[in-house]
Amino acid sequence: MKKRVLAFLLCLSLLPFGSVYAAGSAEDPFISKSYIDGTFIPAVESVVKALLETLKGDSEVTVSPSTGMVTENIPSGKDIVLSSGQSIIILSGSAKISKDKGCIVNATMGLEASSGSLYKNHRYIICEDSAATVHILSSAKVYMSEGAEIKEGSPQTPAPAEPKPSTPPATYPIPSATPVSTPTPTTTPRPTPSPSVQPTMPFTDIKPGNRYYKAILSIYEKGLINGMTPTLYAPGNDLTLAQALKLAACVHQLHAEGNISLKSGEIWYKTYLDYCLDEGIADSGLSGFNSPITRREFVEIIYNALPESDYKAINIIPEGSIDDVDSDTLWGKKVYTFYRAGILTGVTEDSVNSVHDFLPDDFISRAEAAAVINRMLDDGARIPFVVS
């Protein structure tokens, strides 16, 4: 299912808009929750734009029997009920979406969507075993699945009180065999410190009580991370090489100078790449900057962001005790140092992996990377344990 979902999102940029509707059903939905939890694939910006321009014209577009999509003018106060596999685009007017169950994907951006205001001209798809309701706040022209139900809406907050959607981040380029750039993390405003106010983050996908909440909050407050959008951190997305270089450069500069002055350039990660090369954090010859980075590759880079004296051992980890790490290799020595310092703990035991396995060739998520960075900078966050 996962491979089919990823292929679908890539093909969306090449096929006539809306053709995917017929490919899925409630029994065999074409997009699943595994898309949200799995590897992040930059959303495509494609021929959809050209068709949207046509749809926004004065002429009415009737339902296409091959796509199952229809254009409707819907007055304010109406609700549109969407179920598994159905999708919607707001062409004009304003609306907000409420997630009734499961999850919603903003396919234009390649991210999970939260309840709230809809961006115009963005395609929202309802995942399998999911449902959502779109509330029309002011008369809207929409392009939606033909089978969606339109009904009288429940009372909503008047449109003037509804926060207007900010201009959404630019959609990302189609992945290619020779990528030249990686999506630029959106700069997120920093909170103004106040002793009487509980620190918060703008990320709606990171809640207090989440496993990585404290780590992400801590390094966010230090100015080390941004979200993939102003309100989404995307903790389950794979960290890319470019993002790893940015983290390493900022950690090094924060330690060396007490602040972070590095800024993104025209190619957003080049500033951080140059810094890492100048400071000996990374080697030249790197490529595939928008590709996911493995756990081993991440440690090889991020280890060099701080002096070795900062990795004081607090754990007893004998040589050879981590089954999938060769302590005779340079990267293996760095991994063992991180284990002994309480920065890495490995995975929990299951039917496939032994307790504390490192899984060097697996990708590392943005949430896991945040935990590592937080432990590097905060001795109190490091974890004592013993491997026998």
Side-chain angles (χ1 to χ4, degrees):
M1 172 63 76
K2 181 176 180 180
K3 290 182 180 178
R4 184 178 63 189
V5 170
L6 300 182
F8 159 75
L9 289 175
L10 292 178
C11 289
L12 184 60
S13 66
L14 304 175
L15 299 176
F17 188 77
S19 62
V20 296
Y21 177 82
S25 68
E27 292 73 31
D28 183 23
F30 54 79
I31 187 163
S32 71
K33 183 66 166 65
S34 63
Y35 170 74
I36 299 302
D37 296 331
T39 302
F40 173 71
I41 298 296
V44 293
E45 184 175 34
S46 64
V47 293
V48 173
K49 283 189 174 181
L51 183 52
L52 283 173
E53 290 302 318
T54 301
L55 292 173
K56 288 187 288 183
D58 294 332
S59 60
E60 289 297 320
V61 179
T62 59
V63 61
S64 165
S66 63
T67 65
M69 301 292 288
V70 63
T71 302
E72 295 276 2
N73 291 305
I74 303 180
S76 60
K78 295 288 187 179
D79 283 354
I80 303 171
V81 180
L82 301 168
S83 57
S84 297
Q86 294 183 332
S87 60
I88 190 169
I89 300 172
I90 299 297
L91 302 173
S92 65
S94 63
K96 69 176 183 179
I97 194 166
S98 298
K99 182 165 57 178
D100 301 326
K101 67 173 182 176
C103 64
I104 311 162
V105 169
N106 181 328
T108 306
M109 294 171 62
L111 296 172
E112 182 177 4
S114 302
S115 296
S117 298
L118 296 182
Y119 292 131
K120 290 180 183 177
N121 302 327
H122 279 215
R123 182 169 189 160
Y124 294 83
I125 302 175
I126 311 305
C127 296
E128 68 175 315
D129 299 324
S130 302
T133 302
V134 172
H135 310 287
I136 304 300
L137 302 175
S138 62
S139 296
K141 187 175 184 178
V142 304
Y143 188 55
M144 66 183 190
S145 297
E146 182 184 12
E149 178 187 359
I150 303 174
K151 65 177 187 179
E152 194 66 36
S154 55
Q156 299 292 321
T157 302
E162 178 70 13
K164 294 183 179 179
S166 58
T167 301
T171 52
Y172 304 132
I174 301 171
S176 65
T178 55
V180 295
S181 64
T182 191
T184 305
T186 303
T187 301
T188 309
R190 304 288 161 196
T192 302
S194 172
S196 60
V197 177
Q198 182 71 20
T200 59
M201 291 183 294
F203 308 129
T204 58
D205 52 356
I206 303 293
K207 304 291 187 182
N210 290 161
R211 180 181 177 187
Y212 296 106
Y213 177 82
K214 290 183 178 180
I216 294 172
L217 174 61
S218 177
I219 64 174
Y220 166 74
E221 291 182 319
K222 291 180 175 70
L224 287 162
I225 60 167
N226 294 312
M228 293 303 296
T229 78
T231 58
L232 291 175
Y233 179 70
N237 287 359
D238 293 327
L239 191 78
T240 66
L241 172 58
Q243 293 165 357
L245 291 169
K246 187 243 181 178
L247 286 171
C250 291
V251 167
H252 185 279
Q253 187 180 52
L254 180 63
H255 179 272
E257 303 176 18
N259 63 80
I260 300 170
S261 61
L262 294 169
K263 303 292 183 184
S264 299
E266 184 175 352
I267 300 176
W268 80 264
Y269 59 79
K270 191 176 185 303
T271 303
Y272 308 107
L273 171 61
D274 291 344
Y275 183 95
C276 286
L277 294 176
D278 291 343
E279 297 296 332
I281 297 171
D283 297 327
S284 60
L286 295 173
S287 61
F289 294 99
N290 63 343
S291 299
I293 190 171
T294 65
R295 294 161 65 85
R296 173 181 64 81
E297 292 167 337
F298 178 65
V299 170
E300 286 186 284
I301 291 174
I302 204 67
Y303 181 95
N304 301 325
L306 294 179
E308 291 187 353
S309 58
D310 279 27
Y311 305 139
K312 180 180 178 181
I314 62 172
N315 298 323
I316 299 174
I317 315 290
E319 296 289 319
S321 60
I322 307 170
D323 292 343
D324 56 0
V325 177
D326 184 355
S327 59
D328 291 333
T329 62
L330 179 58
W331 70 266
K333 294 181 186 300
K334 292 179 179 180
V335 171
Y336 268 85
T337 297
F338 269 14
Y339 270 69
R340 289 169 180 149
I343 295 171
L344 291 175
T345 63
V347 301
T348 55
E349 186 174 12
D350 56 29
S351 59
V352 177
N353 305 300
S354 300
V355 63
H356 300 305
D357 276 359
F358 177 56
L359 308 184
D361 297 321
D362 283 10
F363 297 138
I364 185 168
S365 71
R366 287 167 55 83
E368 291 169 334
V372 171
I373 298 298
N374 187 48
R375 291 171 193 161
M376 289 174 65
L377 296 172
D378 181 3
D379 291 347
R382 298 185 181 185
I383 301 175
F385 66 100
V386 175
V387 176
S388 57

